[in-house]
Amino acid sequence: MLTKRIIPCLDIKNGRTVKGVNFLELKDAGDPVELAKKYADTGADELVFLDISATEERRKTLIDLVRQVASTVNIPFTVGGGISTVEDVDILLRNGADKISINSSAVKNPDLINQIAAKYGSQCTVVAIDAKQINGEWRVHLVGGKVPTEIKLFDWAKEVEKRGAGEILFTSMNNDGTKNGFANEALAQLSDLINIPIIASGGAGTKQHFAEAFTIGKADAALAASVFHYNEIAIPDLKQFLKQQNIEIRI
């Protein structure tokens, strides 16, 4: 059995790490380079860096900051935000990213998934899906959750897998920042539907929430931000807790 992964997420705006609730009311959470080093040193399995305003501001990802973070960590490093071409991917990989994450650009140009997977491999290709449950139906949202679409979460997840994505980063907008737990029902449905790994995102508030994402939600990895940024949960403590629950985890 593959070990489950714990992944801190750095949401970046104006060069700083930020965190909000339901994608709104962003607050400063610290220096991304310092946070990245702390997480790598304390046992995070991977790190995700999302330049959350790049798409909205129609610019490319902050390359200098990516390079600085990459130089301080020795764990797999995924970068997303403002990626719309294969050339963008090439620049990020050359500046220290191990994987890239595409979201809005994948919906607008689904063939981009095929192109990236063909050139760099599925293991490098993460598709992030931000979805909101509206009247019982999970709908995909774009541009940092600001633009709703008619696309259904489960249909899009199936297409993403078929086009060559190696992993899906699913964020529940309903759960994001609430600290009430992950969207485990939707996660379990995704897990039953597709064969590629799923990263759970949105809602972590306690160690038990991580355990439930892995057991009830069947997620392969759990991503969180504020509980780590504000020192509410320490990664070594979380991993010991999960091990005690008989969840396969790398200590």
Side-chain angles (χ1 to χ4, degrees), residues 140-245:
V140 174
H141 284 56
L142 309 182
V143 192
K146 293 181 175 68
V147 179
T149 74
E150 289 300 307
I151 300 166
K152 295 175 182 176
L153 165 65
F154 302 109
D155 292 346
W156 180 229
K158 278 195 287 190
E159 182 174 347
V160 159
E161 178 181 34
K162 203 161 72 178
R163 286 180 174 275
E167 199 157 24
I168 286 176
L169 166 52
F170 164 56
T171 301
S172 162
M173 292 175 63
N174 305 73
N175 298 58
D176 176 71
T178 63
K179 300 187 180 175
N180 292 327
F182 294 90
N184 292 318
E185 204 175 298
L187 282 166
Q189 269 184 268
L190 277 173
S191 179
D192 291 340
L193 193 68
I194 60 177
N195 297 308
I196 56 176
I198 298 159
I199 305 169
S201 168
T206 67
K207 295 174 198 168
Q208 185 61 32
H209 290 156
F210 286 88
E212 288 164 1
F214 294 135
T215 54
I216 302 167
K218 307 180 194 177
D220 300 277
L223 175 145
S226 54
V227 291
F228 298 143
H229 299 340
Y230 303 125
N231 301 311
E232 293 163 29
I233 297 176
I235 292 171
D237 296 346
L238 172 59
K239 288 193 159 190
Q240 287 296 342
F241 173 82
L242 294 171
K243 199 165 182 66
Q244 285 158 11
Q245 307 269 317

Side-chain angles (χ1 to χ4, degrees), residues 2-251:
L2 287 174
T3 55
K4 304 295 187 180
R5 291 169 287 147
I6 300 298
I7 307 177
C9 182
L10 304 174
D11 287 328
I12 308 296
K13 189 174 173 73
N14 301 326
R16 297 285 291 175
T17 308
V18 295
K19 189 66 195 105
V21 177
N22 304 131
F23 285 42
L24 302 169
E25 296 170 27
L26 300 177
K27 294 187 178 123
D28 190 89
D31 176 80
V33 180
E34 288 173 14
L35 285 170
K37 183 174 188 333
K38 179 181 92 168
Y39 296 141
D41 290 348
T42 55
D45 297 297
E46 296 188 18
L47 187 68
V48 167
F49 172 114
L50 299 176
D51 186 346
I52 60 170
S53 56
T55 299
E56 188 183 9
E57 293 167 8
R58 298 187 179 177
R59 59 171 173 76
K60 301 303 180 188
T61 312
L62 304 165
I63 298 298
D64 287 348
L65 197 51
V66 168
R67 196 184 303 120
Q68 285 178 60
V69 171
S71 69
T72 66
V73 302
N74 56 356
I75 53 178
F77 178 38
T78 301
V79 177
I83 299 166
S84 57
T85 66
V86 171
E87 288 72 33
D88 294 339
V89 175
D90 191 62
I91 290 164
L92 288 168
L93 295 178
R94 282 195 277 113
N95 281 277
D98 298 295
K99 308 180 196 178
I100 59 87
S101 171
I102 52 175
N103 188 334
S104 301
S105 59
V107 174
K108 291 169 185 168
N109 174 21
D111 198 47
L112 183 62
I113 305 169
N114 305 63
Q115 292 168 11
I116 296 169
K119 185 160 187 188
Y120 302 106
S122 289
Q123 83 291 339
C124 170
T125 314
V126 180
V127 173
I129 305 176
D130 299 332
K132 191 175 198 175
Q133 193 174 32
I134 303 166
N135 299 325
E137 188 86 71
W138 286 94
R139 300 283 182 180
V140 174
H141 284 56
L142 309 182
V143 192
K146 293 181 175 68
V147 179
T149 74
E150 289 300 307
I151 300 166
K152 295 175 182 176
L153 165 65
F154 302 109
D155 292 346
W156 180 229
K158 278 195 287 190
E159 182 174 347
V160 159
E161 178 181 34
K162 203 161 72 178
R163 286 180 174 275
E167 199 157 24
I168 286 176
L169 166 52
F170 164 56
T171 301
S172 162
M173 292 175 63
N174 305 73
N175 298 58
D176 176 71
T178 63
K179 300 187 180 175
N180 292 327
F182 294 90
N184 292 318
E185 204 175 298
L187 282 166
Q189 269 184 268
L190 277 173
S191 179
D192 291 340
L193 193 68
I194 60 177
N195 297 308
I196 56 176
I198 298 159
I199 305 169
S201 168
T206 67
K207 295 174 198 168
Q208 185 61 32
H209 290 156
F210 286 88
E212 288 164 1
F214 294 135
T215 54
I216 302 167
K218 307 180 194 177
D220 300 277
L223 175 145
S226 54
V227 291
F228 298 143
H229 299 340
Y230 303 125
N231 301 311
E232 293 163 29
I233 297 176
I235 292 171
D237 296 346
L238 172 59
K239 288 193 159 190
Q240 287 296 342
F241 173 82
L242 294 171
K243 199 165 182 66
Q244 285 158 11
Q245 307 269 317
N246 297 315
I247 293 166
E248 288 290 322
I249 201 92
R250 184 179 65 84
I251 298 291

